[in-house]
Amino acid sequence: MDTRIVDHPKFRLVGHATRVRLVHQGVNPHIQRHITALPTEEHLRLKALGNTEPSGLLAVSDDLDPDYAEGSELTYLHGVAVSPGTPVPDSLDIIEVPAGKWVVIRTKGPHPQTLQKAWATAAATWFPSNPWRLRPGPEIVAVHEPANDFSTATCDLWLPVEPA
């Protein structure tokens, strides 16, 4: 697994949030509907607003069920990361993220299957064999180098961690 630990100062996640159901395998139709309902110009506006890591348009999952039960509800935000002092339009939702450590897992391949497999492998293998555990906070996916149809992509999965 391609992983690195990052110590990141506080930041904000800004964008368009909605409540959706958790889907473990394949494309989440609730998230897909949320994203496709946004006008193309809005994606460009968000991308221009982002000014810190993780970079680019982000898929953010927050308020997750502690057991990650299939079908449980979570807050999904389609947005970007900004530094604390960045002015944010009133029309956008904001998730405040405190400073802390993150494990960043790089994936490359069929999307979203490779990303979902990496998360499952991290839970089953990486966490038990490393001195880290999940801490409260949003889980963030930064999609880099997607195919035009999003069938493949390079992604960074950001998971908030603390020493075990």
Side-chain angles (χ1 to χ4, degrees):
M1 257 185 133
D2 181 2
T3 62
R4 61 188 167 101
I5 301 294
V6 174
D7 194 3
H8 201 292
K10 70 180 181 176
F11 63 103
R12 295 187 296 172
L13 296 163
V14 300
H16 298 278
T18 189
R19 294 291 289 174
V20 299
R21 297 209 175 276
L22 179 61
V23 174
H24 288 170
Q25 302 262 330
V27 174
N28 184 318
H30 314 290
I31 291 173
Q32 188 175 35
R33 275 194 298 277
H34 176 67
I35 294 170
T36 57
L38 297 171
T40 303
E41 312 80 63
E42 188 58 14
H43 301 284
L44 298 173
R45 179 176 81 124
L46 286 171
K47 209 169 181 179
L49 187 61
N51 64 3
T52 191
E53 290 289 319
S55 62
L57 288 174
L58 307 173
V60 178
S61 298
D62 199 16
D63 301 322
L64 288 144
D65 176 74
D67 295 326
Y68 292 86
E70 177 97 16
S72 61
E73 285 198 343
L74 62 105
T75 298
Y76 174 83
L77 180 129
H78 178 74
V80 294
V82 299
S83 57
T86 303
V88 176
D90 290 338
S91 60
L92 298 178
D93 299 298
I94 300 172
I95 298 172
E96 299 286 344
V97 183
K101 295 198 183 299
W102 300 78
V103 61
V104 180
I105 303 167
R106 171 70 50 107
T107 66
K108 187 173 187 169
H111 187 74
Q113 299 86 349
T114 303
L115 179 63
Q116 291 165 340
K117 183 178 178 188
W119 193 174
T121 301
T125 306
W126 190 85
F127 279 103
S129 63
N130 285 278
W132 300 97
R133 67 175 175 227
L134 286 174
R135 65 176 166 82
E139 297 178 6
I140 305 166
V141 175
V143 179
H144 310 286
E145 305 169 23
N148 288 340
D149 64 356
F150 273 86
S151 61
T152 63
T154 298
C155 297
D156 286 334
L157 172 60
W158 289 64
L159 300 173
V161 295
E162 62 188 7

